[in-house]
Amino acid sequence: MHKKRVFSGVQPTGNLHLGNYLGAIKNFVNLQNKFECVYCIVDLHAITNRQDPKELKSNILETVASFIASGLNPEKNIIFNQASVSAHSELAWVFNCVARIGWMNRMTQFKEKAGANKENASVGLMVYPNLMAADILIYKATHVPVGEDQKQHLELTRDIAKKFNNDFNCENYFPIVEPLIPKEISRVMSLRDGKKKMSKSEESDQSRINLKDDKDLIDQKIKKAKTDNDLIPSEIIGLKNRPEATNLISIYASLNDLSIEKVLKEFKGKNFSTFKSKLSESVVEKISPVGNEINKLLKDQSYLNKILEKGSKKADLIAKNNLKEIYDIIGLRKFS
Ligand code: TYM
């Protein structure tokens, strides 16, 4: 049996949004009282796409600030950045040799991110899921809270763990991780197109609510959010083929910790303009305090750096120990 340990990561690529919050960070906060948790700012993942060095440095601190502002306790959890713990990259190389090229070719996120010009994507973008598996397995983590878009990467992590355990005859060495994906809203969709994921890389800022948006901007974005002309149904079946309506109802449910059925019961027969003003109130109530706190924390960069430094030391201790064990299993010698 493996000791229960939670691991998750977030890329420091600018403003975090409601999708990151409801899909992942809210869950990080809930889990901190139940498990030993390790939360990583995955800066090495971010450089699979070109980053401005100055912006990257400041985005790393902003991501720490977003974690703390959302309610993560830096004393209780290990909060650190990936580049500070070299064992992630070292284990990723091992996994580059365990995972098969065919497995990489199946990754839908690579296809989406590489776009039409696959030949021109970085090699890092292609082997990104192996680094992600290394992030998790270097801590022998058992549970991984993520949004639904990361599910395929976690399936790959399970395949890598199984193949390693099997190839090196060390049954049960790496745990087979359990994804923890929110039920009411596994994928927050764009406010402009209910079939597209809410994302930092979407060009229009109107498509997402950023954690740092102020009340007026939140009100305006929700008012403009795409919906259809039908009323709110009384049953879930009435949301079929209505992606934008489903998205807004799900956001409300998730923000208020309600089931979708309960929300439909409350709003059945109402039109979306009535619902949207309630939704705006909820978003402002839950997100504005987070945004205000992020701005406050960003004024004390030395505090944020200290959190990373302390967390990195703790993470490094666990990761180094495990890497030694892993190298020994493989037959590598490590003298430093
Ligand atoms: P990233 O940085 O894109 O997103 C961070 C977290 O936010 C979730 N998320 C969403 N959830 C619901 N709806 C959305 N629209 C939405 N957009 C983002 C993501 O699922 C994620 O949980 N590869 C990862 C980072 C990573 C990682 C790891 C995660 C690297 N190593 C190890 C877990 C374990 C990523 O790019 O997430």
Side-chain angles (χ1 to χ4, degrees):
M1 271 301 278
H2 289 277
K3 181 179 158 196
K4 284 186 176 164
R5 181 179 276 156
V6 167
F7 180 93
S8 198
V10 174
Q11 289 196 54
T13 41
N15 268 343
L16 294 188
H17 52 72
L18 194 62
N20 300 123
Y21 182 78
L22 295 179
I25 299 171
K26 187 171 169 230
N27 234 352
F28 297 180
V29 177
N30 289 335
L31 289 162
Q32 68 181 339
N33 295 321
K34 300 183 196 135
F35 294 102
E36 181 194 353
C37 299
V38 184
Y39 295 125
C40 182
I41 293 142
V42 291
D43 41 16
L44 295 176
H45 276 95
I47 61 163
T48 52
N49 285 312
R50 204 190 178 107
Q51 302 290 333
D52 174 85
K54 251 199 194 144
E55 260 176 43
L56 179 57
K57 273 196 177 155
S58 98
N59 285 340
I60 292 168
L61 287 195
E62 186 164 324
T63 311
V64 191
S66 306
F67 281 2
I68 308 300
S70 301
L72 281 184
N73 180 344
E75 300 301 324
K76 229 180 202 168
N77 306 284
I78 299 181
I79 295 172
F80 75 108
N81 68 307
Q82 196 181 23
S84 293
V85 180
S86 57
H88 288 241
S89 309
E90 293 172 86
L91 185 58
W93 177 255
V94 171
F95 288 167
N96 282 343
C97 303
V98 172
R100 308 288 91 185
I101 290 178
W103 299 1
M104 298 293 114
N105 279 334
R106 280 199 288 278
M107 295 295 113
T108 52
Q109 203 159 82
F110 173 70
K111 289 180 200 158
E112 277 166 27
K113 287 196 174 168
N117 196 357
K118 205 171 125 185
E119 296 294 310
N120 203 32
S122 71
V123 177
L125 190 65
M126 179 147 209
V127 293
Y128 172 119
N130 294 341
L131 177 58
M132 184 162 159
D135 297 337
I136 299 165
L137 294 177
I138 196 67
Y139 301 98
K140 295 189 198 165
T142 53
H143 295 78
V144 183
V146 281
E148 207 259 341
D149 60 323
Q150 296 300 320
K151 197 170 166 209
Q152 195 188 31
H153 290 155
L154 293 188
E155 279 159 11
L156 184 96
T157 303
R158 292 163 67 104
D159 289 343
I160 289 176
K162 283 182 201 159
K163 186 162 176 359
F164 183 98
N165 292 349
N166 192 48
D167 286 358
F168 294 101
N169 224 347
C170 50
E171 200 189 337
N172 221 8
Y173 179 72
F174 282 127
I176 309 304
V177 293
E178 288 293 330
L180 300 173
I181 297 174
K183 279 201 190 74
E184 294 309 338
I185 192 151
S186 55
R187 198 181 267 258
V188 180
M189 307 311 273
S190 155
L191 300 180
R192 310 251 82 191
D193 177 352
K195 293 199 187 86
K196 265 190 177 166
K197 180 179 88 165
M198 184 178 283
S199 153
K200 296 174 225 191
S201 50
E202 175 72 40
E203 215 173 293
S204 164
D205 191 58
Q206 292 291 325
S207 69
R208 61 185 162 261
I209 307 276
N210 303 303
L211 297 186
K212 289 200 307 180
D213 286 349
D214 63 21
K215 179 184 179 309
D216 289 347
L217 198 52
I218 292 173
D219 283 343
Q220 182 237 335
K221 283 181 178 176
I222 290 182
K223 215 177 242 167
K224 279 198 180 156
K226 192 172 164 196
T227 40
D228 52 42
N229 294 325
D230 293 347
L231 299 176
I232 294 178
S234 56
E235 309 284 334
I236 289 188
I237 185 95
L239 287 172
K240 206 171 164 212
N241 298 327
R242 297 175 67 188
E244 285 84 16
T246 306
N247 188 39
L248 296 185
I249 301 272
S250 308
I251 291 174
Y252 184 88
S254 175
L255 279 171
N256 293 294
D257 294 315
L258 296 169
S259 65
I260 293 188
E261 285 90 343
K262 260 225 157 115
V263 179
L264 294 182
K265 218 173 182 183
E266 188 183 339
F267 291 98
K268 67 177 175 203
K270 300 236 162 62
N271 60 30
F272 266 94
S273 66
T274 314
F275 175 74
K276 276 178 168 180
S277 63
K278 283 281 177 200
L279 176 61
S280 252
E281 272 174 31
S282 287
V283 177
V284 169
E285 186 193 317
K286 307 280 169 171
I287 298 302
S288 292
V290 176
N292 292 339
E293 190 60 22
I294 294 174
N295 287 328
K296 215 164 98 193
L297 286 164
L298 282 175
K299 291 192 184 122
D300 192 353
Q301 307 234 332
S302 84
Y303 170 66
L304 300 172
N305 273 313
K306 267 193 204 118
I307 291 175
L308 284 183
E309 199 186 332
K310 220 166 137 188
S312 297
K313 281 195 181 132
K314 284 189 195 159
D316 197 50
L317 217 60
I318 307 172
K320 263 211 180 101
N321 242 338
N322 287 342
L323 187 68
K324 237 192 207 159
E325 251 176 40
I326 296 162
Y327 275 6
D328 188 52
I329 290 172
I330 300 172
L332 296 167
R333 296 181 192 272
K334 191 164 168 63
F335 294 106
S336 61

